[in-house]
Short mmCIF file of all heavy atoms in Angstrom, two decimals:
data_model
loop_
_atom_site.label_atom_id
_atom_site.label_comp_id
_atom_site.label_asym_id
_atom_site.label_seq_id
_atom_site.Cartn_x
_atom_site.Cartn_y
_atom_site.Cartn_z
N CYS N 133 -6.76 -9.77 -5.20
CA CYS N 133 -7.50 -9.55 -3.96
C CYS N 133 -8.93 -10.08 -4.08
O CYS N 133 -9.45 -10.69 -3.14
CB CYS N 133 -7.53 -8.06 -3.62
SG CYS N 133 -5.95 -7.37 -3.08
N ALA N 134 -9.55 -9.85 -5.22
CA ALA N 134 -10.93 -10.32 -5.43
C ALA N 134 -11.01 -11.83 -5.38
O ALA N 134 -11.93 -12.40 -4.77
CB ALA N 134 -11.47 -9.79 -6.76
N GLU N 135 -10.05 -12.50 -6.00
CA GLU N 135 -10.04 -13.97 -5.99
C GLU N 135 -9.82 -14.50 -4.58
O GLU N 135 -10.45 -15.47 -4.15
CB GLU N 135 -8.95 -14.47 -6.93
CG GLU N 135 -9.26 -14.21 -8.40
CD GLU N 135 -8.10 -14.52 -9.32
OE1 GLU N 135 -6.96 -14.67 -8.81
OE2 GLU N 135 -8.33 -14.61 -10.54
N LEU N 136 -8.94 -13.83 -3.84
CA LEU N 136 -8.67 -14.23 -2.46
C LEU N 136 -9.92 -14.07 -1.59
O LEU N 136 -10.27 -14.96 -0.80
CB LEU N 136 -7.52 -13.36 -1.93
CG LEU N 136 -6.90 -13.64 -0.56
CD1 LEU N 136 -5.46 -13.11 -0.56
CD2 LEU N 136 -7.68 -12.98 0.55
N MET N 137 -10.62 -12.94 -1.75
CA MET N 137 -11.81 -12.70 -0.94
C MET N 137 -12.97 -13.59 -1.35
O MET N 137 -13.80 -13.97 -0.52
CB MET N 137 -12.21 -11.22 -1.04
CG MET N 137 -11.15 -10.26 -0.49
SD MET N 137 -10.61 -10.69 1.20
CE MET N 137 -12.08 -10.27 2.14
N GLU N 138 -13.03 -13.94 -2.64
CA GLU N 138 -14.08 -14.86 -3.07
C GLU N 138 -13.89 -16.23 -2.42
O GLU N 138 -14.86 -16.86 -1.98
CB GLU N 138 -14.07 -14.99 -4.59
CG GLU N 138 -15.19 -15.87 -5.13
CD GLU N 138 -15.22 -15.92 -6.63
OE1 GLU N 138 -14.37 -15.28 -7.27
OE2 GLU N 138 -16.10 -16.63 -7.18
N ARG N 139 -12.63 -16.66 -2.33
CA ARG N 139 -12.37 -17.94 -1.66
C ARG N 139 -12.71 -17.86 -0.18
O ARG N 139 -13.21 -18.82 0.41
CB ARG N 139 -10.89 -18.32 -1.84
CG ARG N 139 -10.52 -18.72 -3.26
CD ARG N 139 -9.17 -19.40 -3.31
NE ARG N 139 -8.09 -18.53 -2.84
CZ ARG N 139 -7.40 -17.72 -3.62
NH1 ARG N 139 -7.68 -17.63 -4.91
NH2 ARG N 139 -6.42 -16.99 -3.12
N GLN N 140 -12.45 -16.70 0.43
CA GLN N 140 -12.72 -16.55 1.86
C GLN N 140 -14.22 -16.53 2.13
O GLN N 140 -14.68 -17.06 3.14
CB GLN N 140 -12.06 -15.27 2.38
CG GLN N 140 -12.34 -14.99 3.85
CD GLN N 140 -11.39 -13.95 4.43
OE1 GLN N 140 -10.23 -14.25 4.69
NE2 GLN N 140 -11.87 -12.74 4.66
N GLY N 141 -14.96 -15.87 1.26
CA GLY N 141 -16.41 -15.87 1.39
C GLY N 141 -17.00 -14.83 2.32
O GLY N 141 -18.21 -14.80 2.51
N HIS N 142 -16.19 -13.99 2.87
CA HIS N 142 -16.69 -12.91 3.74
C HIS N 142 -15.64 -11.82 3.82
O HIS N 142 -14.47 -12.02 3.47
CB HIS N 142 -17.02 -13.44 5.15
CG HIS N 142 -15.84 -14.07 5.84
ND1 HIS N 142 -14.87 -13.34 6.50
CD2 HIS N 142 -15.48 -15.37 5.97
CE1 HIS N 142 -13.96 -14.17 7.01
NE2 HIS N 142 -14.30 -15.41 6.69
N GLU N 143 -16.06 -10.64 4.28
CA GLU N 143 -15.13 -9.52 4.39
C GLU N 143 -14.05 -9.80 5.44
O GLU N 143 -14.25 -10.63 6.34
CB GLU N 143 -15.89 -8.24 4.75
CG GLU N 143 -16.81 -7.77 3.63
CD GLU N 143 -17.45 -6.43 3.93
OE1 GLU N 143 -17.26 -5.90 5.05
OE2 GLU N 143 -18.16 -5.90 3.05
N GLU N 144 -12.93 -9.12 5.30
CA GLU N 144 -11.83 -9.30 6.23
C GLU N 144 -12.15 -8.60 7.56
O GLU N 144 -12.54 -7.43 7.58
CB GLU N 144 -10.54 -8.72 5.65
CG GLU N 144 -9.31 -8.97 6.49
CD GLU N 144 -8.89 -10.43 6.51
OE1 GLU N 144 -9.41 -11.22 5.69
OE2 GLU N 144 -8.05 -10.78 7.35
N PRO N 145 -12.01 -9.29 8.68
CA PRO N 145 -12.29 -8.65 9.97
C PRO N 145 -11.22 -7.62 10.33
O PRO N 145 -10.07 -7.73 9.89
CB PRO N 145 -12.27 -9.83 10.96
CG PRO N 145 -11.42 -10.86 10.29
CD PRO N 145 -11.65 -10.71 8.82
N THR N 146 -11.59 -6.66 11.10
CA THR N 146 -10.65 -5.66 11.58
C THR N 146 -9.55 -6.34 12.40
O THR N 146 -9.83 -7.17 13.25
CB THR N 146 -11.36 -4.61 12.45
OG1 THR N 146 -12.40 -4.01 11.68
CG2 THR N 146 -10.40 -3.53 12.91
N GLY N 147 -8.31 -5.97 12.09
CA GLY N 147 -7.17 -6.57 12.78
C GLY N 147 -6.58 -7.76 12.05
O GLY N 147 -5.51 -8.24 12.44
N GLY N 148 -7.23 -8.23 11.00
CA GLY N 148 -6.72 -9.35 10.23
C GLY N 148 -5.81 -8.89 9.11
O GLY N 148 -5.64 -7.69 8.86
N ALA N 149 -5.20 -9.84 8.39
CA ALA N 149 -4.29 -9.50 7.31
C ALA N 149 -4.31 -10.59 6.25
O ALA N 149 -4.56 -11.76 6.55
CB ALA N 149 -2.87 -9.31 7.84
N LYS N 150 -4.04 -10.19 5.02
CA LYS N 150 -3.93 -11.10 3.89
C LYS N 150 -2.68 -10.76 3.09
O LYS N 150 -2.22 -9.62 3.09
CB LYS N 150 -5.16 -11.01 3.00
CG LYS N 150 -6.42 -11.59 3.62
CD LYS N 150 -6.36 -13.11 3.68
CE LYS N 150 -7.64 -13.72 4.23
NZ LYS N 150 -7.82 -13.45 5.66
N LEU N 151 -2.16 -11.75 2.38
CA LEU N 151 -0.92 -11.60 1.61
C LEU N 151 -1.20 -11.79 0.12
O LEU N 151 -1.91 -12.71 -0.28
CB LEU N 151 0.09 -12.65 2.06
CG LEU N 151 1.44 -12.67 1.34
CD1 LEU N 151 2.31 -11.52 1.81
CD2 LEU N 151 2.15 -14.00 1.59
N THR N 152 -0.65 -10.88 -0.70
CA THR N 152 -0.72 -11.02 -2.15
C THR N 152 0.65 -10.72 -2.74
O THR N 152 1.51 -10.10 -2.09
CB THR N 152 -1.73 -10.04 -2.79
OG1 THR N 152 -1.26 -8.69 -2.60
CG2 THR N 152 -3.12 -10.20 -2.22
N PRO N 153 0.89 -11.14 -3.99
CA PRO N 153 2.09 -10.66 -4.68
C PRO N 153 2.03 -9.14 -4.83
O PRO N 153 0.96 -8.53 -4.74
CB PRO N 153 2.00 -11.35 -6.05
CG PRO N 153 1.05 -12.50 -5.87
CD PRO N 153 0.08 -12.06 -4.82
N ALA N 154 3.18 -8.54 -5.10
CA ALA N 154 3.25 -7.07 -5.25
C ALA N 154 3.22 -6.64 -6.70
O ALA N 154 3.13 -5.46 -7.00
CB ALA N 154 4.51 -6.54 -4.59
N PHE N 155 3.32 -7.60 -7.63
CA PHE N 155 3.25 -7.34 -9.06
C PHE N 155 4.31 -6.30 -9.49
O PHE N 155 5.48 -6.63 -9.47
CB PHE N 155 1.83 -6.97 -9.48
CG PHE N 155 0.86 -8.10 -9.22
CD1 PHE N 155 0.02 -8.09 -8.11
CD2 PHE N 155 0.84 -9.21 -10.05
CE1 PHE N 155 -0.84 -9.16 -7.85
CE2 PHE N 155 -0.01 -10.28 -9.80
CZ PHE N 155 -0.85 -10.25 -8.70
N ASN N 156 3.95 -5.09 -9.80
CA ASN N 156 4.92 -4.13 -10.35
C ASN N 156 5.60 -3.25 -9.30
O ASN N 156 6.40 -2.37 -9.67
CB ASN N 156 4.24 -3.26 -11.40
CG ASN N 156 3.91 -4.04 -12.65
OD1 ASN N 156 4.79 -4.50 -13.36
ND2 ASN N 156 2.62 -4.24 -12.89
N LEU N 157 5.32 -3.47 -8.05
CA LEU N 157 6.02 -2.74 -7.00
C LEU N 157 7.41 -3.35 -6.79
O LEU N 157 7.61 -4.54 -7.06
CB LEU N 157 5.22 -2.80 -5.70
CG LEU N 157 3.84 -2.14 -5.74
CD1 LEU N 157 3.06 -2.48 -4.48
CD2 LEU N 157 3.96 -0.63 -5.91
N PRO N 158 8.37 -2.59 -6.28
CA PRO N 158 9.71 -3.16 -6.05
C PRO N 158 9.79 -4.14 -4.89
O PRO N 158 10.76 -4.88 -4.78
CB PRO N 158 10.58 -1.92 -5.81
CG PRO N 158 9.65 -0.84 -5.43
CD PRO N 158 8.34 -1.14 -6.09
N CYS N 159 8.80 -4.15 -4.00
CA CYS N 159 8.76 -5.17 -2.94
C CYS N 159 8.26 -6.48 -3.53
O CYS N 159 7.76 -6.52 -4.65
CB CYS N 159 7.85 -4.71 -1.80
SG CYS N 159 6.17 -4.33 -2.32
N ARG N 160 8.36 -7.57 -2.76
CA ARG N 160 7.92 -8.88 -3.26
C ARG N 160 6.44 -9.13 -3.00
O ARG N 160 5.76 -9.75 -3.80
CB ARG N 160 8.74 -10.00 -2.60
CG ARG N 160 10.20 -10.05 -3.04
CD ARG N 160 10.91 -11.22 -2.38
NE ARG N 160 10.28 -12.50 -2.75
CZ ARG N 160 10.40 -13.62 -2.04
NH1 ARG N 160 11.09 -13.62 -0.90
NH2 ARG N 160 9.83 -14.74 -2.45
N TYR N 161 5.96 -8.66 -1.85
CA TYR N 161 4.58 -8.94 -1.44
C TYR N 161 3.93 -7.68 -0.88
O TYR N 161 4.61 -6.73 -0.48
CB TYR N 161 4.54 -10.02 -0.35
CG TYR N 161 5.10 -11.36 -0.77
CD1 TYR N 161 6.39 -11.73 -0.41
CD2 TYR N 161 4.34 -12.25 -1.53
CE1 TYR N 161 6.92 -12.96 -0.78
CE2 TYR N 161 4.86 -13.48 -1.90
CZ TYR N 161 6.14 -13.83 -1.52
OH TYR N 161 6.66 -15.05 -1.90
N VAL N 162 2.60 -7.75 -0.81
CA VAL N 162 1.82 -6.73 -0.11
C VAL N 162 1.01 -7.43 0.98
O VAL N 162 0.34 -8.44 0.72
CB VAL N 162 0.86 -5.97 -1.05
CG1 VAL N 162 0.04 -4.95 -0.24
CG2 VAL N 162 1.63 -5.27 -2.15
N LEU N 163 1.11 -6.94 2.19
CA LEU N 163 0.29 -7.40 3.31
C LEU N 163 -0.86 -6.39 3.48
O LEU N 163 -0.63 -5.21 3.75
CB LEU N 163 1.12 -7.46 4.59
CG LEU N 163 2.15 -8.59 4.65
CD1 LEU N 163 3.24 -8.26 5.65
CD2 LEU N 163 1.47 -9.91 5.02
N HIS N 164 -2.07 -6.87 3.29
CA HIS N 164 -3.25 -6.00 3.38
C HIS N 164 -3.88 -6.21 4.76
O HIS N 164 -4.26 -7.33 5.11
CB HIS N 164 -4.26 -6.36 2.30
CG HIS N 164 -3.69 -6.39 0.91
ND1 HIS N 164 -3.81 -5.34 0.03
CD2 HIS N 164 -2.98 -7.36 0.26
CE1 HIS N 164 -3.21 -5.66 -1.11
NE2 HIS N 164 -2.71 -6.88 -0.99
N THR N 165 -4.01 -5.14 5.52
CA THR N 165 -4.60 -5.26 6.86
C THR N 165 -5.70 -4.23 7.04
O THR N 165 -5.63 -3.13 6.47
CB THR N 165 -3.54 -5.12 7.96
OG1 THR N 165 -4.11 -5.46 9.23
CG2 THR N 165 -2.96 -3.71 8.03
N VAL N 166 -6.72 -4.58 7.80
CA VAL N 166 -7.87 -3.70 8.02
C VAL N 166 -7.79 -3.09 9.41
O VAL N 166 -7.94 -3.80 10.41
CB VAL N 166 -9.20 -4.47 7.86
CG1 VAL N 166 -10.38 -3.54 8.05
CG2 VAL N 166 -9.26 -5.14 6.50
N GLY N 167 -7.52 -1.82 9.47
CA GLY N 167 -7.44 -1.13 10.75
C GLY N 167 -8.79 -0.66 11.24
O GLY N 167 -9.76 -0.61 10.48
N PRO N 168 -8.87 -0.31 12.52
CA PRO N 168 -10.13 0.18 13.08
C PRO N 168 -10.48 1.57 12.58
O PRO N 168 -9.59 2.39 12.33
CB PRO N 168 -9.86 0.18 14.59
CG PRO N 168 -8.37 0.34 14.70
CD PRO N 168 -7.80 -0.40 13.52
N ILE N 169 -11.77 1.83 12.43
CA ILE N 169 -12.27 3.15 12.05
C ILE N 169 -12.74 3.87 13.31
O ILE N 169 -13.60 3.36 14.04
CB ILE N 169 -13.43 3.03 11.04
CG1 ILE N 169 -12.96 2.28 9.79
CG2 ILE N 169 -13.97 4.40 10.67
CD1 ILE N 169 -14.08 1.98 8.81
N VAL N 170 -12.18 5.03 13.56
CA VAL N 170 -12.51 5.80 14.76
C VAL N 170 -13.50 6.90 14.39
O VAL N 170 -13.21 7.77 13.57
CB VAL N 170 -11.25 6.42 15.39
CG1 VAL N 170 -11.61 7.24 16.62
CG2 VAL N 170 -10.24 5.33 15.75
N THR N 171 -14.69 6.84 14.98
CA THR N 171 -15.73 7.84 14.67
C THR N 171 -16.01 8.77 15.84
O THR N 171 -16.70 9.76 15.67
CB THR N 171 -17.03 7.14 14.26
OG1 THR N 171 -17.43 6.23 15.30
CG2 THR N 171 -16.83 6.36 12.96
N GLY N 172 -15.51 8.45 16.99
CA GLY N 172 -15.72 9.29 18.17
C GLY N 172 -14.55 9.15 19.11
O GLY N 172 -13.39 9.22 18.70
N ARG N 173 -14.83 8.89 20.37
CA ARG N 173 -13.76 8.69 21.34
C ARG N 173 -13.05 7.37 21.07
O ARG N 173 -13.67 6.36 20.79
CB ARG N 173 -14.36 8.68 22.76
CG ARG N 173 -13.32 8.53 23.88
CD ARG N 173 -14.00 8.47 25.23
NE ARG N 173 -14.85 7.28 25.35
CZ ARG N 173 -14.40 6.08 25.70
NH1 ARG N 173 -13.11 5.89 25.95
NH2 ARG N 173 -15.23 5.05 25.80
N LEU N 174 -11.74 7.40 21.17
CA LEU N 174 -10.95 6.19 20.96
C LEU N 174 -11.24 5.18 22.08
O LEU N 174 -11.25 5.53 23.26
CB LEU N 174 -9.46 6.54 20.95
CG LEU N 174 -8.48 5.41 20.66
CD1 LEU N 174 -8.69 4.87 19.25
CD2 LEU N 174 -7.05 5.89 20.85
N THR N 175 -11.46 3.93 21.71
CA THR N 175 -11.83 2.90 22.69
C THR N 175 -10.68 1.90 22.88
O THR N 175 -9.80 1.76 22.03
CB THR N 175 -13.08 2.14 22.24
OG1 THR N 175 -12.78 1.39 21.04
CG2 THR N 175 -14.23 3.10 21.96
N ASP N 176 -10.74 1.18 23.99
CA ASP N 176 -9.75 0.13 24.24
C ASP N 176 -9.83 -0.94 23.15
O ASP N 176 -8.80 -1.50 22.73
CB ASP N 176 -10.00 -0.52 25.61
CG ASP N 176 -9.70 0.43 26.76
OD1 ASP N 176 -8.99 1.43 26.53
OD2 ASP N 176 -10.17 0.16 27.87
N ARG N 177 -11.02 -1.24 22.71
CA ARG N 177 -11.20 -2.26 21.66
C ARG N 177 -10.50 -1.84 20.38
O ARG N 177 -9.84 -2.66 19.72
CB ARG N 177 -12.69 -2.49 21.40
CG ARG N 177 -12.97 -3.56 20.35
CD ARG N 177 -14.46 -3.90 20.32
NE ARG N 177 -14.76 -4.97 19.38
CZ ARG N 177 -15.15 -4.78 18.12
NH1 ARG N 177 -15.31 -3.53 17.68
NH2 ARG N 177 -15.41 -5.80 17.33
#
Side-chain angles (χ1 to χ4, degrees):
C133 289
E135 291 172 345
L136 186 155
M137 297 308 290
E138 183 176 0
R139 290 194 299 270
Q140 177 164 285
H142 59 81
E143 293 186 356
E144 185 69 13
T146 302
K150 289 288 183 290
L151 179 76
T152 66
F155 298 102
N156 290 294
L157 297 170
C159 57
R160 290 182 61 201
Y161 299 100
V162 178
L163 288 158
H164 307 261
T165 189
V166 182
I169 301 173
V170 179
T171 56
R173 182 183 64 84
L174 184 64
T175 65
D176 292 342
R177 182 170 183 266

